[in-house]
Amino acid sequence: MAVVTCLSSCTTKEKPHIPIQDSTITAQGEKAATTIPIFDKDSLRIADAEMLVQHIYDTVDNSPQTDSMEDTITRDDASLKYFKDHSGQYYVYVVENRGPMYGVSLGWCDLFIFKRLDGLWKLNDFRLQAGGGGMYGNPGSFEKFEQIGEESKAIVISGGQTHMGNNFNLTMVELTKGKLGTTFSFPTRSDYGEGAGDDYKLKVCDENQYHFRKMPGKKYFELILERFNCLNDNSVKVDSVVIPYRNGYAIPERFAFEG
């Protein structure tokens, strides 16, 4: 389970947030489509990845999240991860979008997939606002790849916040043959306590743990999700479910946490 730490100072009036479309067609104008840089290199650097996606971000509105003109989104951290499979060589580029670090300001992660074709690295797919995020501008972060099928993996992004307790979650975005697919998410921990120092005691504590299980003759793996009550040192399992892949994984509502 990833631990995400967030900072807070004060609250502020928010403007409604309008999700950005993640379509390559709508994000690329005619001029931008003719000026996409490509790189004839054995490997990419963060600076190269920034150039490869600049034509996308040139089309993205970055209006202030609040009434203050300074409260725009900043993209001050990113991860670039190489992998290859039977369909080719790839990089996953995860860009963290960080909002103002107070109130209910939001952050999120964008995903970009680069593929090596004829010795050149090119943008193969992308999704804006793919996952992560939380209060106080927390963007979340890339965690790892998770194999979910014979030909498919998931890009795992953590998110959540700390405020009067902890609330953390994972978002998984399917990746097959260099293309992004279905998205599913679930909470991983929610806790709340009272008191301070030696007198601090948890009042609520829930955890979800997961793993994938390969099944003979099945293209996709099964997702096994287990819920625990973690109020005591020895967590007690209170529920579990086996979820087959059906154009994604449908997470039962009973594995959501209150609060």
Side-chain angles (χ1 to χ4, degrees):
M1 178 189 69
V3 177
V4 182
T5 303
C6 305
L7 303 177
S8 64
S9 58
C10 59
T11 58
T12 187
K13 184 179 179 182
E14 291 288 323
K15 290 184 177 180
H17 176 68
I18 301 174
I20 301 169
Q21 292 181 326
D22 63 0
S23 166
T24 304
I25 296 175
T26 58
Q28 290 181 226
E30 181 178 350
K31 180 179 179 181
T34 63
T35 58
I36 301 174
I38 53 180
F39 295 87
D40 187 6
K41 296 182 178 182
D42 291 334
S43 60
L44 292 180
R45 301 170 301 170
I46 291 289
D48 300 327
E50 289 176 349
M51 291 182 63
L52 283 165
V53 304
Q54 188 58 53
H55 68 288
I56 301 295
Y57 283 132
D58 284 345
T59 70
V60 174
D61 179 42
N62 193 17
S63 298
Q65 284 196 314
T66 71
D67 292 334
S68 173
M69 289 302 295
E70 290 76 21
D71 287 346
T72 56
I73 292 293
T74 59
R75 304 181 185 102
D76 52 7
D77 203 0
S79 300
L80 186 63
K81 303 295 181 181
Y82 172 85
F83 75 95
K84 68 177 180 179
D85 58 25
H86 67 283
S87 66
Q89 295 177 280
Y90 301 95
Y91 273 97
V92 171
Y93 183 46
V94 184
V95 180
E96 298 178 9
N97 294 256
R98 192 179 305 276
M101 298 296 286
Y102 54 78
V104 294
S105 305
L106 300 177
W108 61 84
C109 290
D110 301 329
L111 293 180
F112 300 88
I113 311 299
F114 306 131
K115 183 174 184 179
R116 188 178 177 93
L117 294 170
D118 299 323
L120 304 174
W121 290 103
K122 300 182 180 181
L123 180 62
N124 199 55
D125 201 1
F126 76 97
R127 183 168 297 169
L128 303 182
Q129 299 190 16
M135 292 172 60
Y136 313 121
N138 171 38
S141 62
F142 170 80
E143 290 297 312
K144 60 181 178 178
F145 295 117
E146 189 79 58
Q147 199 70 32
I148 65 171
E150 296 290 350
E151 300 179 353
S152 302
K153 56 174 55 68
I155 302 169
V156 183
I157 304 172
S158 66
Q161 67 270 336
T162 297
H163 176 69
M164 304 295 289
N166 300 292
N167 288 283
F168 304 127
N169 60 77
L170 291 179
T171 296
M172 299 192 185
V173 183
E174 181 183 345
L175 180 60
T176 304
K177 298 180 180 179
K179 293 293 184 179
L180 298 168
T182 58
T183 297
F184 59 100
S185 62
F186 53 87
T188 53
R189 184 180 176 95
S190 179
D191 63 46
Y192 176 80
E194 62 182 21
D198 294 338
D199 295 327
Y200 179 83
K201 294 185 184 301
L202 283 176
K203 303 293 288 185
V204 175
C205 187
D206 293 296
E207 284 187 341
N208 283 329
Q209 299 179 16
Y210 76 94
H211 66 275
F212 290 91
R213 181 172 64 189
K214 184 176 181 179
M215 300 297 295
K218 298 290 186 179
K219 187 176 180 180
Y220 285 90
F221 303 163
E222 291 180 336
L223 170 62
I224 299 176
L225 194 60
E226 299 174 309
R227 178 167 177 164
F228 291 83
N229 182 320
C230 47
L231 275 176
N232 301 315
D233 291 337
N234 296 321
S235 297
V236 178
K237 184 164 71 173
V238 297
D239 201 355
S240 64
V241 65
V242 177
I243 308 173
Y245 180 91
R246 294 191 178 97
N247 194 31
Y249 297 93
I251 309 300
E253 289 186 9
R254 68 182 190 270
F255 287 86
F257 302 146
E258 296 182 2

